[in-house]
Amino acid sequence: EPEVTQTPSHQVTQMGQEVILRCVPISNHLYFYWYRQILGQKVEFLVSFYNNEISEKSEIFDDQFSVERPDGSNFTLKIRSTKLEDSAMYFCASSEVSQPANEKLFFGSGTQLSVL
Amino acid sequence: AQTVTQSQPEMSVQEAETVTLSCTYDTSESDYYLFWYKQPPSRQMILVIRQEAYKQQNATENRFSVNFQKAAKSFSLKISDSQLGDAAMYFCAYRSAINDMRFGAGTRLTVKP
């Protein structure tokens, strides 16, 4: 069964450093998402992406965050200058074409980001 | 804004028994979709079941079923014949054509042998 893959599974970084979290969505999916989950808390929506544009973003997704689909297969989340409170599990998800509300999200296994 | 509320932070059930996890949501939309996701200790998010709001019939998936009450904006998950592998965090989620998916705070389910 096709799956969303995320790398790395764990990322440790120093505060103020830039990190890039990588995701490979399912190949025929066109809608892409990033979510995060701070330990013990709920899963929070960050951003959705379609047709090489951000379609929606939450208040969490400030100027420190950016997303990109550099090569038609990868979907990346960049945090420019990490803060301690960015420590969380980051989930990538994708869904199929045309009517996103009809489709379930397929989640990756997540990248655990630890900011020291 | 659409909100999803799970009022039970923790629940426990005896193996082979039935448990119901509660979820309510707030929306002004008429067309939307509701989901239950399971998050085991591995922290992967796994879809358990989903319900289209326009369907009156409650969704079922093997031992998992929902009680969807559209007027009350309630979407509870029933797990029958609970198994040890059902132990996990369960997240209720809402998605409409306008908003991307929003999750509740989760319910931690413990299954006692």
Side-chain angles (χ1 to χ4, degrees), chain B residues 38-97:
Chain B
K38 173 183 178 182
Q39 188 183 49
S42 67
R43 298 188 74 185
Q44 199 166 4
M45 296 287 281
I46 303 164
L47 178 67
V48 174
I49 198 166
R50 72 173 182 170
Q51 173 83 40
E52 292 89 342
Y54 65 83
K55 288 187 177 178
Q56 292 187 338
Q57 187 173 9
N58 289 325
T60 63
E61 194 73 40
N62 300 316
R63 296 182 297 106
F64 298 89
S65 62
V66 298
N67 183 6
F68 173 47
Q69 302 288 327
K70 190 172 184 179
K73 296 179 183 174
S74 170
F75 182 62
S76 60
L77 174 69
K78 185 170 82 171
I79 306 174
S80 304
D81 186 24
S82 298
Q83 300 175 359
L84 295 177
D86 295 334
M89 282 289 286
Y90 285 82
F91 291 96
C92 178
Y94 166 99
R95 185 175 188 184
S96 75

Side-chain angles (χ1 to χ4, degrees), chain A residues 31 33 35 45 47-50 54-58 98-103, chain B residues 1-2 26-33 35 94-102:
Chain A
Y31 295 83
Y33 310 83
Y35 288 81
F45 169 74
V47 66
S48 60
F49 190 86
Y50 169 70
I54 290 174
S55 51
E56 189 178 356
K57 61 182 181 179
S58 72
S98 73
Q99 293 190 32
N102 289 335
E103 296 297 329
Chain B
Q2 284 73 16
D26 181 30
T27 184
S28 57
E29 302 294 321
S30 58
D31 185 19
Y32 54 87
Y33 300 79
F35 305 81
Y94 166 99
R95 185 175 188 184
S96 75
I98 298 174
N99 285 315
D100 292 304
M101 195 172 288
R102 301 289 191 253

Side-chain angles (χ1 to χ4, degrees), chain B residues 19-30:
Chain B
V19 64
T20 299
L21 308 184
S22 301
C23 174
T24 59
Y25 57 94
D26 181 30
T27 184
S28 57
E29 302 294 321
S30 58

Side-chain angles (χ1 to χ4, degrees), chain A residues 35-73:
Chain A
Y35 288 81
R36 79 172 186 189
Q37 184 184 31
I38 296 170
L39 187 64
Q41 299 186 25
K42 66 193 260 184
V43 179
E44 298 173 298
F45 169 74
L46 293 178
V47 66
S48 60
F49 190 86
Y50 169 70
N51 199 26
N52 286 318
E53 289 184 338
I54 290 174
S55 51
E56 189 178 356
K57 61 182 181 179
S58 72
E59 59 277 5
I60 301 169
F61 194 88
D62 61 21
D63 292 343
Q64 293 287 80
F65 292 89
S66 62
V67 289
E68 194 178 29
R69 190 154 160 80
D71 56 13
S73 65

